[in-house]
Amino acid sequence: MSVLVYTESENGKFKKNAFEAASYAAEVAKQMGTTATAVSFNANENESLGNYGVSKVLNISNDKLTTFNAKAYASSIRQAVEKEGAKVIILSSSTDTKYLAPLLAGYLKAGYVPNVVAAPESTAPFTVKRTAFSNKGFAFSEISTEIKIVGVSNNSFGLHENKTTATVESFDAAVSDADFSTKSVEIDKVVGKATIADADIVVSAGRGMKGPENWGMIEELADVLGAATACSKPVSDLGWRPHGEHVGQTGKPVASNLYIAIGISGAIQHLAGVSSSKVKVVINSDPEAPFFKAADYGIVGDAFEVVPQLIEKLKEFKAQNA
Amino acid sequence: MKILVCISNVPDTTSKINFTDNDTKFDTAGVQFVINPNDEFGLTRAMWFKEKQSATVHIVTVGDATVEPTMRKALAIGADEAIRVNAVPTDGFFVAQQLANIVKEGAYDLVIAGRESIDYNGGMVPGIMASLLDMNFVNTCISLDVDGTSATALREIDGGKEKLATSLPLIIGGQKGLVEESDLRIPNMRGIMMARQKKLTVIEPVDAINATQDTKFTKPAAKGAVKLATSVDELINLLHNEAKVI
Ligand SMILES: Cc1cc2nc3c(=O)[nH]c(=O)nc-3n(C[C@H](O)[C@H](O)[C@H](O)COP(=O)(O)OP(=O)(O)OC[C@H]3O[C@@H](n4cnc5c(N)ncnc54)[C@H](O)[C@@H]3O)c2cc1C
């Protein structure tokens, strides 16, 4: 009857969201008087999940599952759910887990609530708080099926250290050819750089940058801060930046600790994607730009003057605080 | 190829969000409803298949009679027929079961849904539908080509994109990228006139579970005023000492 958590990894290494989902699972397990079991795929250092309150890890080690495959992963996790008799399943909110979770919900006839931002309000009835209306509201959702699936919003619950000894078992989930009826052919991905989904800091820029040739300073600022780069929708529509960087209602959500918006007006559709970020900083030449109303800090000024200064000063700051 | 496009009827993206009945219901007063933006990209891609690969395109919406103006808009854009499942869509699992029934009955080859609806942001309907029907499924789909029964799709992943090979029958959760925004269609007068004549079938829902219920809504707490820094030094200082984010 344990709580089962899917822990995402890449090249054997757990992602930060795996530890956050594990922290959440441990909290739910505590509330329900049970334990948290993780399921991992080809992961190293499975014991590290014990730092976040997981007491058992089912590690699936299978070469066929090196690359994420939604159906094959969902079918494997379902077998782990059945083995453990789990009644609650926790996942993160990465693009892959949002692909996987509804498949799992369908297979298990389980109610699924995504975008959850806090520990359950209660576990009987099982009620969680989630964002809705593109972050303009919150809903309290009650799940009434026997098995319940919760998708935790990135960076909302946070990492909670809770040292336990995790026993690691290898788990042999059966996968069939039918599980691979949708196959990965090619992955085109920026490597070695923080992505919008899991970066602590995101540096984002809009049409105020005037053209793609001016993105050098945005990338440099992101480099100094170890941040991911992002943009507003018109910027990706104009082809100045790749589609995957577009933030907002029709683009990616950002739930970083720090979001720096440069030359972005702050239209409501853009704000929908950033309101889960903790601290928002706006640099805009127009003091009336709507983004200032949603921001925590700001500088009214020309980005072409402010950003180069910010890069220099941050370099000094980093050198001093290294 | 027989295509079904799932259309969700959602508040216009600039709508003010309010709640009534002791914060248990979304307040629709004064709200303009539109085709869910993610579905609009899918509908336009379906039109492309219709024109270039002679597909037939049906649309489906789960909703009461108030969703019909949005459905007529989709017909005016060029869909051939519409189906309305006469039920209030309160839960994603419920909606997915209703849609799965329509897909099965209509023997569709390709089902195009949006990645998520911009009202409840569940992002679950296409995936649940796929598992209930055991159909192939691609989520966050940003490009789709079909050749016979083979399909090639691109999907967005964190930090990039992935190319997938799959086959029909297929369900996708689509979004911007499926077509360029400049290719989105606005219904013209002729389309609007023709839409009035097109078939809109109303069918009653099948028995289904409601897996979740929203019991209460709240709005985010009002935010304090922005702190404007007069210099870059001051900003760095605030971010380091006050916000503690650098
Ligand atoms: C259905 C729908 C969905 C949408 N979804 C999204 C979405 O997901 N994401 C999104 O971003 N948008 C979305 N939009 C578009 C959105 O409404 C805005 O058009 C868009 O966010 C504006 O982008 P921007 O701020 O970069 O450009 P602009 O509106 O052109 O603003 C540029 C800003 O830069 C400032 N600026 C100019 N020069 C400088 C300078 N030298 N230094 C500093 N500042 C300067 C200006 O003061 C201005 O505030 C959507 C729209 C619709 C209708």
Side-chain angles (χ1 to χ4, degrees):
Chain A
M1 225 285 286
S2 61
V3 172
L4 194 84
V5 52
Y6 164 59
T7 48
E8 203 174 17
S9 59
E10 192 168 34
N11 300 325
K13 203 168 170 289
F14 286 117
K15 293 194 173 176
K16 185 177 140 202
N17 72 38
F19 298 126
E20 188 173 17
S23 303
Y24 192 93
E27 170 62 27
V28 178
K30 193 175 100 195
Q31 287 193 19
M32 296 180 71
T34 179
T35 55
T37 299
V39 54
S40 64
F41 289 77
N42 299 314
N44 308 321
E45 299 177 15
N46 285 291
E47 297 76 11
S48 63
L49 294 170
N51 295 336
Y52 300 93
V54 164
S55 51
K56 180 157 117 186
V57 185
L58 301 175
N59 179 46
I60 297 171
S61 154
N62 183 341
D63 287 348
K64 284 190 184 153
L65 300 171
T66 312
T67 307
F68 172 81
N69 180 297
K71 197 171 172 187
Y73 273 44
S75 122
S76 307
I77 295 170
R78 173 199 190 174
Q79 294 168 55
V81 170
E82 280 157 9
K83 173 180 155 47
E84 290 295 298
K87 293 288 178 271
V88 180
I89 303 155
I90 310 294
L91 302 98
S92 73
S93 287
S94 70
T95 305
D96 286 354
T97 47
K98 285 192 157 180
Y99 189 0
L100 175 67
L103 288 174
L104 205 52
Y107 290 148
L108 295 166
K109 306 280 178 288
Y112 162 49
V113 178
N115 309 321
V116 169
V117 290
E121 293 282 304
S122 94
T123 55
F126 198 93
T127 310
V128 282
K129 181 181 182 184
R130 64 169 170 123
T131 58
F133 299 101
S134 303
N135 286 314
K136 287 186 269 183
F138 295 105
F140 290 87
S141 303
E142 196 178 301
I143 313 180
S144 47
T145 45
E146 194 190 353
I147 300 181
K148 299 156 178 74
I149 304 183
V150 173
V152 185
S153 234
N154 288 356
N155 275 333
S156 59
F157 186 71
L159 301 178
H160 296 255
E161 289 217 18
N162 177 6
K163 281 206 191 315
T164 329
T165 309
T167 54
V168 181
E169 282 177 25
S170 62
F171 178 59
D172 195 13
V175 282
S176 68
D177 286 350
D179 288 330
F180 296 92
S181 55
T182 299
K183 268 196 208 69
S184 179
V185 180
E186 194 182 309
I187 291 178
D188 174 8
K189 188 171 167 171
V190 196
V191 281
K193 261 197 165 176
T195 67
I196 298 176
D198 44 31
D200 283 331
I201 303 180
V202 173
V203 174
S204 189
R207 200 149 53 180
M209 296 310 296
K210 314 277 192 274
E213 66 282 4
N214 296 323
W215 243 264
M217 64 182 188
I218 300 299
E219 289 190 325
E220 196 179 348
L221 178 59
D223 268 353
V224 177
L225 289 165
T229 52
C231 67
S232 67
K233 180 163 166 290
V235 164
S236 75
D237 287 347
L238 288 161
W240 297 355
R241 300 296 292 178
H243 279 309
E245 285 199 2
H246 145 212
V247 162
Q249 187 168 59
T250 49
K252 284 245 150 83
V254 180
S256 55
N257 286 327
L258 172 61
Y259 184 79
I260 305 182
I262 303 163
I264 300 179
S265 60
I268 191 161
Q269 299 89 352
H270 186 85
L271 295 180
V274 300
S275 43
S276 314
S277 288
K278 301 225 165 61
V279 174
K280 297 179 252 323
V281 174
V282 168
I283 299 169
N284 198 305
S285 49
D286 174 9
E288 300 298 323
F291 219 140
F292 282 118
K293 291 208 176 61
D296 302 286
Y297 302 99
I299 289 191
V300 177
D302 186 338
F304 294 89
E305 288 165 21
V306 176
V307 175
Q309 275 184 43
L310 191 55
I311 292 167
E312 286 320 306
K313 299 278 182 179
L314 277 171
K315 279 186 183 159
E316 287 169 23
F317 168 83
K318 292 270 158 180
Q320 279 161 17
N321 291 274
Chain B
M1 180 164 53
K2 218 177 147 190
I3 304 178
L4 183 69
V5 183
C6 306
I7 301 283
S8 170
N9 175 59
V10 297
D12 173 324
T13 75
T14 55
S15 302
K16 292 260 178 300
I17 301 300
N18 289 304
F19 306 106
T20 58
D21 291 19
N22 213 4
D23 288 337
T24 57
K25 287 203 174 63
F26 173 61
D27 183 1
T28 55
V31 171
Q32 162 110 27
F33 281 83
V34 296
I35 301 175
N36 180 44
N38 289 312
D39 305 349
E40 216 180 334
F41 291 104
L43 178 63
T44 309
R45 187 65 193 166
M47 289 303 111
W48 186 94
F49 285 121
K50 179 177 159 161
E51 286 151 19
K52 306 275 191 230
Q53 299 186 353
S54 59
T56 53
V57 178
H58 294 177
I59 61 146
V60 60
T61 303
V62 178
D64 60 17
T66 60
V67 305
E68 289 193 5
T70 299
M71 298 178 74
R72 289 281 171 206
K73 233 175 278 164
L75 289 171
I77 286 170
D80 302 304
E81 277 183 31
I83 304 160
R84 176 167 73 80
V85 179
N86 189 27
V88 177
T90 47
D91 163 49
F93 206 108
F94 175 85
V95 172
Q97 288 171 99
Q98 300 306 330
L99 295 175
N101 179 51
I102 302 290
V103 174
K104 202 164 61 194
E105 296 286 313
Y108 291 95
D109 306 297
L110 175 64
V111 181
I112 304 183
R115 168 192 82 183
E116 69 174 23
S117 297
I118 62 162
D119 48 3
Y120 295 92
N121 311 105
M124 66 181 85
V125 167
I128 295 178
M129 215 190 330
S131 55
L132 295 177
L133 293 163
D134 198 22
M135 267 166 79
N136 291 330
F137 170 51
V138 175
N139 205 12
T140 55
C141 187
I142 51 173
S143 137
L144 177 69
D145 290 301
V146 175
D147 181 5
T149 58
S150 310
T152 309
L154 274 184
R155 75 164 179 119
E156 196 165 278
I157 56 174
D158 292 333
K161 46 196 170 191
E162 180 180 31
K163 188 171 173 182
L164 298 165
T166 186
S167 58
L168 303 185
L170 169 69
I171 298 182
I172 65 161
Q175 61 179 62
K176 181 189 149 195
L178 269 181
V179 296
E180 288 306 319
E181 180 148 297
S182 52
D183 291 334
L184 289 179
R185 298 173 186 199
I186 299 160
N188 58 23
M189 203 30 108
R190 187 162 169 271
I192 294 167
M193 298 305 284
M194 281 171 66
R196 290 193 189 149
Q197 315 300 325
K198 287 182 180 169
K199 192 163 145 200
L200 193 159
T201 314
V202 179
I203 68 159
E204 290 308 312
V206 290
D207 267 350
I209 53 165
N210 261 298
T212 64
Q213 290 85 36
D214 290 331
T215 52
K216 195 175 170 334
F217 296 98
T218 59
K219 287 210 271 189
K223 227 193 66 40
V226 60
K227 272 196 188 167
L228 291 179
T230 50
S231 70
V232 164
D233 285 318
E234 190 189 343
L235 180 67
I236 292 174
N237 183 30
L238 284 167
L239 293 182
H240 181 61
N241 293 314
E242 190 176 277
K244 302 198 187 320
V245 283
I246 58 169

